[in-house]
Amino acid sequence: RVDVPLHLYLEEHAKRAAFTNESAQTDTFLDEPRPEPYIPMKTGLDAGTQVDTSMVFVYDRDVNPILDVLCGKTVEQALMEVRQEEQFRALRGKQQGLLENLRVEQDQVRMLEQKEKKVFEANQARLNEARQKKEEESEIQKKYVASECAVTLLDGLEDTVFNQLTETKEFQHPISRQINEDFLPWVFNNSRERLKQHEASEKTLRALLKRVTKRKKYVLFSMIDADNSGKKYKVGPIRLSPDTTIRELITWAQKNIKDGDMVTFYDRRSGDAFSPETNVFSIGTQFIGMKFRKKSKS
């Protein structure tokens, strides 16, 4: 089936209505009338009165007294103002005269004050000069009296003082004074410095010894017979610490050596025996030797 496009062939049949043209013209608009004035609504009651015609105000008759009063008052006020201005002018002139007199009087007072000030300053200067002169004379007199007293009292005192100082040995020989004041303080200061250096080095040495003894805590000593037999013995190891003394070594030897009854620690360099209070590490373990004496057989 094929769709046929009917809109290309169909026409609409419409009835046409009959019509005619008509026209009309209206008048122009009239002006709007003004609104009536607003009259508020009456309240209350209306009242009225009747006045006699003889009592009604007449301008030509009744204005003359008012004008007379107004003109009289105006003229009177003007005269008062003029008189007041004249009085003010006179007062200002009088004031200017009084001020001028006051200025003249102040100038005179100022001149008198300056004169009195100059006179007072001159008197004060003379008084100060007199006081200073009197003080100088008094000072000179005191110095003279003091010198006379000194001459009188100190006559022969110098020899006495020098003799007493010589007897008490207050006067020292220049060489001994130089030794006491210069040389000995220098020696003491240098000694203190050396002692400080020695203490510092000793502290450093002790610290190093502590480090060494932490790593190596035992030392082996060789012992030689005190009877010169030539036989050597080995003892040890002995536990050491930085504070170990010869006394502790002797105590340890007496406890651990069974063949000897007397133990002595000596310096290998000089052969001298050490003091029991001597520190081991202040000497050096390589310089410490040990001797003992055998027990006698009974």
Side-chain angles (χ1 to χ4, degrees):
R1 183 178 181 180
V2 179
D3 294 333
V4 178
L6 299 178
H7 65 279
L8 297 176
Y9 306 103
L10 295 178
E11 293 181 3
E12 183 181 1
H13 296 281
K15 293 182 179 180
R16 294 183 180 181
F19 64 89
T20 59
N21 293 327
E22 296 291 339
S23 62
Q25 181 66 38
T26 60
D27 297 334
T28 59
F29 291 103
L30 297 176
D31 294 334
E32 186 177 357
R34 293 182 179 180
E36 295 181 0
Y38 173 74
I39 299 174
M41 184 181 295
K42 290 184 178 181
T43 57
L45 299 175
D46 293 337
T49 183
Q50 182 67 34
V51 181
D52 191 5
T53 56
S54 61
M55 299 178 62
V56 177
F57 180 79
V58 180
Y59 181 79
D60 293 335
R61 184 191 63 189
D62 298 332
V63 78
N64 289 327
I66 297 174
L67 289 176
D68 292 339
V69 173
L70 291 175
C71 292
K73 289 293 183 181
T74 304
V75 172
E76 185 180 358
Q77 183 68 25
L79 290 174
M80 289 178 62
E81 290 179 356
V82 171
R83 290 174 183 174
Q84 189 176 7
E85 289 180 357
E86 290 179 355
Q87 290 177 0
F88 286 159
R89 192 179 298 110
L91 289 174
R92 282 195 293 270
K94 191 173 182 180
Q95 184 181 8
Q96 292 293 333
L98 292 174
L99 292 175
E100 186 66 25
N101 294 333
L102 181 62
R103 282 195 292 270
V104 173
E105 186 177 356
Q106 288 178 351
D107 293 338
Q108 292 178 357
V109 171
R110 193 178 298 108
M111 292 175 62
L112 292 174
E113 287 178 353
Q114 291 179 356
K115 289 181 181 179
E116 289 295 330
K117 186 177 180 181
K118 290 181 180 179
V119 173
F120 178 76
E121 290 177 353
N123 292 333
Q124 289 295 325
R126 286 195 292 271
L127 287 174
N128 293 332
E129 185 177 357
R131 290 194 190 97
Q132 186 176 2
K133 187 175 181 180
K134 186 175 180 181
E135 289 177 359
E136 291 177 354
E137 291 177 355
S138 176
E139 188 70 22
I140 292 171
Q141 186 176 3
K142 289 180 181 179
K143 289 181 179 179
Y144 176 74
V145 173
S147 62
E148 290 294 330
C149 292
V151 170
T152 304
L153 296 174
L154 299 178
D155 188 16
L157 182 62
E158 183 178 359
D159 296 335
T160 304
V161 170
F162 276 108
N163 293 332
Q164 291 180 357
L165 292 175
T166 304
E167 291 176 358
T168 56
K169 295 182 181 181
E170 293 294 333
F171 288 146
Q172 298 180 0
H173 195 273
I175 296 176
S176 61
R177 180 180 297 175
Q178 188 174 6
I179 290 172
N180 293 328
E181 295 180 359
D182 298 333
F183 179 71
L184 290 179
W186 176 79
V187 171
F188 292 152
N189 292 331
N190 289 339
S191 300
R192 292 192 191 97
E193 294 295 331
R194 292 291 181 87
L195 288 174
K196 289 180 181 179
Q197 294 176 2
H198 181 70
E199 290 177 358
S201 60
E202 187 175 355
K203 289 180 180 179
T204 305
L205 180 60
R206 287 182 177 276
L208 293 174
L209 290 174
K210 286 182 180 180
R211 293 182 182 179
V212 171
T213 52
K214 286 181 181 180
R215 298 178 183 177
K216 186 177 179 180
K217 297 184 178 180
Y218 299 95
V219 178
L220 188 65
F221 286 91
S222 62
M223 300 175 57
I224 302 174
D225 187 11
D227 295 334
N228 297 325
S229 61
K231 188 177 181 180
K232 295 181 179 180
Y233 299 90
K234 285 186 178 181
V235 294
I238 303 174
R239 185 183 298 273
L240 300 177
S241 67
D243 299 327
T244 303
T245 59
I246 297 296
R247 185 184 299 278
E248 295 176 4
L249 294 181
I250 294 172
T251 303
W252 181 90
Q254 290 177 352
K255 290 181 179 179
N256 293 276
I257 299 173
K258 299 179 180 180
D259 296 335
D261 57 357
M262 186 177 68
V263 181
T264 305
F265 289 89
Y266 65 95
D267 191 345
R268 293 179 183 228
R269 296 167 293 183
S270 62
D272 298 332
F274 291 116
S275 173
E277 304 301 329
T278 306
N279 186 277
V280 174
F281 288 97
S282 64
I283 305 167
T285 56
Q286 69 273 19
F287 300 116
I288 299 176
M290 184 187 296
K291 295 180 181 180
F292 74 97
R293 186 184 302 276
K294 290 181 179 182
K295 294 181 180 179
S296 60
K297 294 182 180 179
S298 57

